[in-house]
């Protein structure tokens, strides 16, 4: 009888011990950030003035319980002057410190272990600054690194276009090089233009000059990837006045885009014609690849915009021909915008002269009256 009660006591004791042991391990486990949390665009990380190119991503994350800047612990291992030992208790060794990270200090998100930015500063002894407009984190371990970092930040702050600042640290596709790279510095020239220094994926460093708000020699990796998803699987109508003469499409022809990709300075498009035949062609990238497509195609059938026009007019437009009596819109659809316009207006008469190269079109009260070639 005594032995039976003793055995029961031991079993109960072991169960209690196991319960508290599990409770302790749960309390010390990583904090899990919910998958449905708000996650910012990837933050570019620069260390001592040099970009860190890594598949390990840094984010601003906001959830119901946790809101902070989170750095993957494995990224620290890619910084000079820092070594991470992934033993049962994680240790981080820098030139000045040896620190331990308890599992309760870590956060698990998307199968990656993170620590907060403030914890990063604490355990490494490093310092840093987050720049909002370029969405970049500048970290340094010494005075030289601080000087290099502040130089980059100062250059960014002096850039005229705020949109240019957003390219800092971004992975971009350079048209002329037909390669990807990362923007490692942005600097305003004496004339107010912007120089982008880009480190290509083969290690080569190039400079690209932007003369307007949108750089015309490269696009972000996101734009490069999203182009196909944005336009494929949709119908468009060819604007032959903007398409190159080599394009096999006729004016306002309806086509169904099946795939698009950027290759060098061209956008390669595969489409399907109304009769089911496949057709391939290319258009040049003019600064913005999205704008290049929208300029070359109508997203809606022009015939639905002008339902009252005769079939004869539409036939002429599709053949890019003009005839006496056409109005402004009809000529625009057929020949595109003129190089220049001269106009004269009186009480009862409005005369316009549209110039296309050496051809002059004469409109009287909005109707094409004649044209001549010089």
């Amino acid at each position: 009888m005594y032995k039976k009660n003793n055995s029961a006591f031991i079993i109960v004791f072991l169960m209690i011990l196991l319960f508290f042991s599990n409770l302790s391990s749960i309390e010390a486990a990583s904090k899990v950030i919910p998958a449905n949390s708000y996650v910012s665009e990837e933050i570019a990380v620069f260390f001592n003035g040099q970009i860190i190119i890594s598949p390990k991503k840094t984010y601003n994350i906001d959830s119901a319980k946790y809101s902070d800047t989170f750095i993957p612990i494995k990224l620290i291992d890619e910084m000079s002057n820092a070594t991470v030992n992934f033993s049962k208790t994680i240790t981080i060794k820098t030139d000045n410190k040896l620190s331990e990270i308890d599992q309760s200090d870590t956060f698990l998100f998307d199968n990656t272990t993170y620590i907060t930015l403030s914890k990063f500063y604490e355990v490494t002894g490093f310092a840093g600054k987050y720049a909002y407009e370029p969405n970049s984190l500048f970290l340094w371990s010494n005075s030289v690194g601080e000087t290099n970092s502040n130089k980059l930040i100062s250059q960014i702050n002096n850039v005229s276009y705020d949109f240019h600042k957003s390219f800092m640290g971004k992975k971009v596709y350079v048209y002329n090089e037909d390669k990807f790279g990362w923007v490692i510095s942005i600097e305003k020239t004496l004339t107010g233009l912007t120089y982008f220094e880009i480190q290509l994926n083969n290690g080569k460093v190039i400079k690209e000059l932007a003369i307007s708000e949108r750089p015309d020699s490269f696009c972000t990796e996101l734009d490069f990837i999203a182009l196909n998803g944005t336009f494929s699987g949709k119908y468009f109508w060819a604007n032959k006045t903007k398409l190159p003469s080599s394009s096999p499409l006729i004016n306002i022809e309806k086509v169904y885009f099946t795939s698009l990709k950027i290759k060098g300075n061209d956008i390669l498009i595969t489409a399907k014609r109304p009769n089911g035949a496949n057709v391939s062609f290319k258009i040049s990238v003019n600064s913005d690849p999205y704008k290049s497509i929208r300029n070359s195609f109508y997203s809606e059938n022009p015939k639905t915009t002008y339902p009252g026009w005769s079939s004869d007019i539409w036939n002429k437009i599709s053949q890019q021909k003009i005839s006496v009596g056409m109005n402004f819109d009809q000529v625009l659809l057929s020949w595109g915008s003129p190089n220049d316009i001269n106009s004269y207006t009186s009480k009862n008469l409005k005369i316009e002269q549209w110039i296309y190269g050496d051809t002059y079109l004469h409109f009287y009260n909005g109707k094409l009256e004649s044209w001549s070639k010089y």
Side-chain angles (χ1 to χ4, degrees):
M1 192 72 173
Y2 173 80
K3 288 183 180 180
K4 184 177 180 180
N5 288 342
N6 189 46
S7 298
F9 173 79
I10 292 173
I11 291 171
V12 170
F13 175 79
L14 289 174
M15 289 177 65
I16 293 172
L17 185 64
L18 182 62
F19 171 80
F20 280 104
S21 175
N22 287 338
L23 183 61
S24 176
S25 64
I26 290 172
E27 289 175 345
S30 298
K31 304 175 182 71
V32 178
I33 299 176
N36 62 352
S37 302
Y38 166 77
V39 181
S40 72
E41 231 183 320
E42 177 190 355
I43 298 173
V45 179
F46 291 78
F47 184 67
N48 288 337
Q50 301 293 319
I51 191 170
I52 299 179
I53 300 171
S54 173
K56 304 166 187 68
K57 311 300 183 186
T58 298
Y59 301 109
N60 288 322
I61 302 177
D62 189 9
S63 69
K65 293 180 66 177
Y66 313 114
S67 180
D68 214 317
T69 299
F70 294 88
I71 298 178
I73 292 180
K74 287 187 176 180
L75 188 68
I76 302 173
D77 221 21
E78 298 184 22
M79 301 175 185
S80 57
N81 310 333
T83 305
V84 182
N85 184 354
F86 295 94
S87 57
K88 186 174 181 180
T89 300
I90 299 173
T91 59
I92 297 177
K93 184 178 184 303
T94 66
D95 290 345
N96 303 319
K97 297 190 73 172
L98 176 63
S99 304
E100 292 185 351
I101 297 181
D102 188 83
Q103 199 173 6
S104 61
D105 293 323
T106 64
F107 297 79
L108 189 64
F109 177 74
D110 196 23
N111 296 320
T112 301
T113 303
Y114 289 83
I115 57 173
T116 63
L117 180 58
S118 56
K119 191 67 180 179
F120 167 85
Y121 290 144
E122 176 188 331
V123 298
T124 61
F126 298 161
K129 185 182 296 183
Y130 171 72
Y132 174 76
E133 287 177 309
N135 191 34
S136 297
L137 180 60
F138 296 90
L139 306 170
W140 55 83
S141 61
N142 51 48
S143 59
V144 174
E146 182 178 10
T147 299
N148 293 338
S149 300
N150 284 327
K151 179 182 177 181
L152 289 176
I153 295 171
S154 177
Q155 288 175 340
I156 295 168
N157 289 338
N158 289 330
V159 168
S160 301
Y161 289 115
D162 288 342
F163 184 63
H164 285 178
K165 300 174 185 179
S166 69
F167 283 89
M168 186 64 175
K170 288 281 196 313
K171 188 176 182 180
V172 297
Y173 176 78
V174 185
Y175 305 132
N176 286 334
E177 300 284 341
D178 191 20
K179 286 183 174 62
F180 283 97
W182 289 263
V183 177
I184 58 175
S185 73
I186 306 175
E187 187 174 2
K188 180 180 178 181
T189 68
L190 294 176
T191 56
L193 306 179
T194 305
Y195 262 124
F196 293 86
E197 195 172 34
I198 301 173
Q199 180 179 318
L200 300 178
N201 53 14
N202 62 0
K204 177 182 176 182
V205 176
I206 62 172
K207 276 191 172 183
E208 295 291 335
L209 181 65
I211 60 176
S212 58
E213 184 172 2
R214 178 172 287 277
D216 58 3
S217 58
F218 60 88
C219 66
T220 66
E221 180 190 33
L222 180 61
D223 283 339
F224 180 91
I225 295 172
L227 186 74
N228 185 63
T230 301
F231 293 101
S232 64
K234 297 177 183 177
Y235 286 101
F236 294 91
W237 288 260
N239 181 356
K240 190 67 174 179
T241 68
K242 297 289 187 179
L243 286 168
S245 58
S246 60
S247 170
L249 303 179
I250 64 173
N251 200 26
I252 67 169
E253 179 180 356
K254 179 183 178 181
V255 287
Y256 179 81
F257 283 4
T258 55
S259 71
L260 302 91
K261 67 177 181 179
I262 302 174
K263 180 68 175 175
N265 287 291
D266 296 316
I267 302 172
L268 309 182
I269 303 174
T270 302
K272 195 178 290 291
R273 285 180 145 157
N275 62 3
N278 292 320
V279 60
S280 298
F281 51 92
K282 62 185 180 182
I283 60 176
S284 297
V285 177
N286 296 316
S287 68
D288 180 356
Y290 291 80
K291 188 176 180 179
S292 299
I293 295 173
R294 293 188 179 104
N295 282 346
S296 302
F297 291 89
Y298 303 105
S299 58
E300 295 182 3
N301 187 352
K303 290 184 179 181
T304 61
T305 306
Y306 306 100
W309 293 356
S310 67
S311 58
D312 180 57
I313 289 293
W314 285 115
N315 286 335
K316 285 185 171 67
I317 291 172
S318 66
Q319 297 172 55
Q320 292 188 275
K321 294 181 179 180
I322 59 174
S323 63
V324 172
M326 276 187 163
N327 62 32
F328 295 144
D329 290 331
Q330 291 164 352
V331 173
L332 284 171
L333 280 170
S334 187
W335 278 21
S337 299
N339 304 119
D340 198 7
I341 295 177
N342 299 315
S343 61
Y344 167 78
T345 303
S346 66
K347 184 177 180 180
N348 299 316
L349 181 65
K350 181 177 181 180
I351 301 174
E352 283 200 15
Q353 183 186 66
W354 288 14
I355 304 172
Y356 293 86
D358 59 357
T359 302
Y360 290 69
L361 278 58
H362 310 286
F363 292 88
Y364 290 84
N365 291 332
K367 298 292 184 180
L368 181 60
E369 182 73 17
S370 63
W371 63 91
S372 54
K373 195 168 184 177
Y374 296 94

